[in-house]
Amino acid sequence: MTAVPQPRTDAEPADAPAPAPAAAARGARRSLALALLAGAAGAGLALLASGRVWARGSAQLAQGSLPRSVTGADVTGVPGALAVVGLAALVAVFAVRRAGRIAVAALLTLSGAGIATAAVLGISDTSALREKAATAVGLTDAGVHHVTHTGWPWVAAAGGALLLLAGLLALVHGRHWPEMSGRYERTPGGARGPRRAPAPPDLDRPEEIWKSLDRGEDPTR
């Protein structure tokens, strides 16, 4: 007994896998969106935390105690500075290509790692608080008592971690991300391209016809 041939259908099954290029494009868009959100949020958190109070304490005087406080910028200027560098690197990722993009992505990654490290080291740092206390009492060194630390160093560390994530995404998936449009880039001859084609001359105006002839164009075409 011969097998009955099954009819062929042109339609593909509903559960057929998506083509590889389309799946890769979707993955690139997801990684790009995640990197942008993580990088912008990380830089914003690091900058915000740098301006907030990280520690409080009291300097002892003969008349009593003098309360003092220090911000993240007083403790360490690294998170704020690297947040600006990381934000600039996040934008520059789209302006460079190939090896340049890898270098900028590495800078973004190192900025995030540096922010997180500096913030963690500043969590229990009291040197800036002691310096402020010494300035207040007029001594080269002064003790600080009743020291308390806030949660802002951890916020800065979280911002650094987000920038680090954005940098890693750029290193892994950056080669698939779109590049800045070359519409306004200079051509090898030095001119900006592409140029718009000149508007056709108005045949009812003789001066337009003469200008077209001066350019070597046929106004009748």
Side-chain angles (χ1 to χ4, degrees):
M1 179 181 294
T2 59
V4 179
Q6 298 294 328
R8 296 181 59 183
T9 58
D10 295 333
E12 294 182 359
D15 56 348
R26 285 198 300 270
R29 288 195 297 268
R30 292 193 191 101
S31 62
L32 172 60
L34 181 58
L36 287 175
L37 290 175
L45 287 176
L47 288 172
L48 176 65
S50 296
R52 295 299 187 269
V53 174
W54 282 24
R56 295 184 178 91
S58 299
Q60 295 300 318
L61 299 174
Q63 298 82 7
S65 60
L66 181 64
R68 298 280 88 183
S69 64
V70 289
T71 64
D74 297 326
V75 175
T76 172
V78 172
L82 288 184
V84 176
V85 173
L87 194 59
L90 182 65
V91 176
V93 164
F94 304 98
V96 294
R97 304 172 183 176
R98 299 182 181 87
R101 177 167 290 187
I102 295 175
V104 173
L107 178 61
L108 179 60
T109 304
L110 293 175
S111 298
I115 291 172
T117 301
V120 171
L121 292 176
I123 289 174
S124 58
D125 189 358
T126 59
S127 59
L129 196 58
R130 290 197 305 270
E131 184 179 348
K132 270 203 170 184
T135 303
V137 301
L139 301 174
T140 56
D141 192 13
V144 182
H145 304 275
H146 310 295
V147 177
T148 58
H149 299 275
T150 67
W152 285 108
W154 293 108
V155 175
L162 288 174
L163 273 173
L164 175 62
L165 173 62
L168 292 176
L169 287 172
L171 283 174
V172 176
H173 302 285
R175 64 183 182 276
H176 302 300
W177 293 352
E179 298 172 350
M180 184 175 290
S181 174
R183 178 180 299 177
Y184 300 105
E185 293 182 358
R186 290 187 177 273
T187 59
R192 291 184 181 273
R195 294 183 177 180
R196 292 184 178 180
D202 186 358
L203 299 181
D204 294 332
R205 301 178 61 183
E207 63 273 15
E208 292 293 333
I209 298 176
W210 283 113
K211 288 180 181 180
S212 179
L213 291 174
D214 289 339
R215 292 194 299 266
E217 301 172 356
D218 184 1
T220 61
R221 287 192 302 175

